[in-house]
Amino acid sequence: MLAWVVAILLLPIPYLYDNFPQFRFRLKFSVYYLWLTLASFFMIPLSLLRPGSVVNARLGSALMRPLSTLLGLGWEVEGEVHLLDREEACVILANHQSSIDLLGMFHIWSKLSRVTAIAKQSLMYYGSFGLTAYLCGTVFVDRKDPKLAAVKLNCVAQTLKVDKVKLWVFPEGTRNSDKEVEMLPFKKGAFHVAISANLPILPIVISRHHFLDERNGIFLPGSGKMTVLPLIWPEEKDVEQLMEEVRGAMLTQLRSGQ
């Protein structure tokens, strides 16, 4: 009897998926967040073996990669791809349009070897995902307390080079789902880290998600492209100059890929 009930409930799904974009949008994001939650639960006991280690995130990224295929997404990586394999520390900056960007990040995570990410403090309290991120060495920053955030970032800067850890940052600070806005203003934290530790910045530009329009509830199969740009060194630049140079390079690539 239960099998018949389940079958009746599932029977309309293919029709709804093919004919109602809003249903497809909600279903895909439900699958996305369900997979993310289940993967986080699976990661927690494994991460407790070495809590706080950035190595934990490599397994997490492997668990997330099949999700792209399930959602009908593919990822292309072009440009200075060999720079992903360099062992030395650097600050990776990528533009941010949607939570789907995480799938692109996970797609190349294993090539980056030892890498961690900066996230806003509130994400640490997002259930199993927040706990797993903490156990994987994610650096949480409280934006409401700039002084404390600066101290934390300075501490991080000093350890990245010694431990040969790359730092992934979305410098816009939040998702930019507005198709009319190329990129939001950059936050300065990542640039302070790069200058403080004299680390190069590795810009990665994620192309426009033409398959996704969150404001109108559209989520189609498609392909995302990530372009790795040349390293940009701090040299004698101040924060504003470095930020302007990196942002300019990323905008140029973003516009050329539209």
Side-chain angles (χ1 to χ4, degrees), residues 98-117:
S98 164
S99 58
I100 295 298
D101 295 334
L102 296 181
L103 295 180
M105 181 178 73
F106 290 136
H107 179 76
I108 61 173
W109 196 271
S110 60
K111 293 182 67 67
L112 297 170
S113 187
R114 296 172 57 80
V115 57
T116 187

Side-chain angles (χ1 to χ4, degrees), residues 235-249:
E235 297 174 332
E236 300 299 321
K237 307 179 187 78
D238 60 27
V239 168
E240 295 292 340
Q241 291 170 330
L242 183 60
M243 184 166 62
E244 182 178 348
E245 181 176 350
V246 173
R247 182 178 173 84

Side-chain angles (χ1 to χ4, degrees), residues 132-161:
T132 300
Y134 171 77
L135 293 172
C136 290
T138 300
V139 179
F140 292 99
V141 176
D142 186 359
R143 298 176 186 167
K144 297 178 182 178
D145 191 339
K147 290 185 178 179
L148 181 61
V151 171
K152 193 167 189 177
L153 289 176
N154 284 334
C155 292
V156 169
Q158 302 310 314
T159 59
L160 290 176
K161 183 177 289 188

Side-chain angles (χ1 to χ4, degrees), residues 51-68:
S53 172
V54 298
V55 178
N56 292 331
R58 298 187 69 179
L59 175 58
S61 68
L63 292 174
M64 291 300 297
R65 280 198 293 273
L67 181 56
S68 288

Side-chain angles (χ1 to χ4, degrees), residues 21-121:
Q22 281 281 350
F23 178 83
R24 179 170 54 238
F25 175 84
R26 294 179 183 278
L27 179 62
K28 281 192 169 186
F29 266 105
S30 296
V31 170
Y32 174 82
Y33 286 115
L34 177 61
W35 188 297
L36 183 62
T37 300
L38 293 176
S40 299
F41 274 119
F42 184 79
M43 280 294 300
I44 290 172
L46 298 177
S47 299
L48 288 174
L49 298 174
R50 46 191 177 193
S53 172
V54 298
V55 178
N56 292 331
R58 298 187 69 179
L59 175 58
S61 68
L63 292 174
M64 291 300 297
R65 280 198 293 273
L67 181 56
S68 288
T69 303
L70 183 63
L71 296 177
L73 301 178
W75 296 97
E76 304 172 22
V77 185
E78 62 177 29
E80 307 294 324
V81 181
H82 65 280
L83 293 176
L84 300 177
D85 296 318
R86 70 191 300 272
E87 294 186 359
E88 292 79 11
C90 66
V91 178
I92 301 171
L93 298 187
N95 55 311
H96 195 19
Q97 304 164 68
S98 164
S99 58
I100 295 298
D101 295 334
L102 296 181
L103 295 180
M105 181 178 73
F106 290 136
H107 179 76
I108 61 173
W109 196 271
S110 60
K111 293 182 67 67
L112 297 170
S113 187
R114 296 172 57 80
V115 57
T116 187
I118 282 184
K120 56 185 179 182
Q121 186 78 22

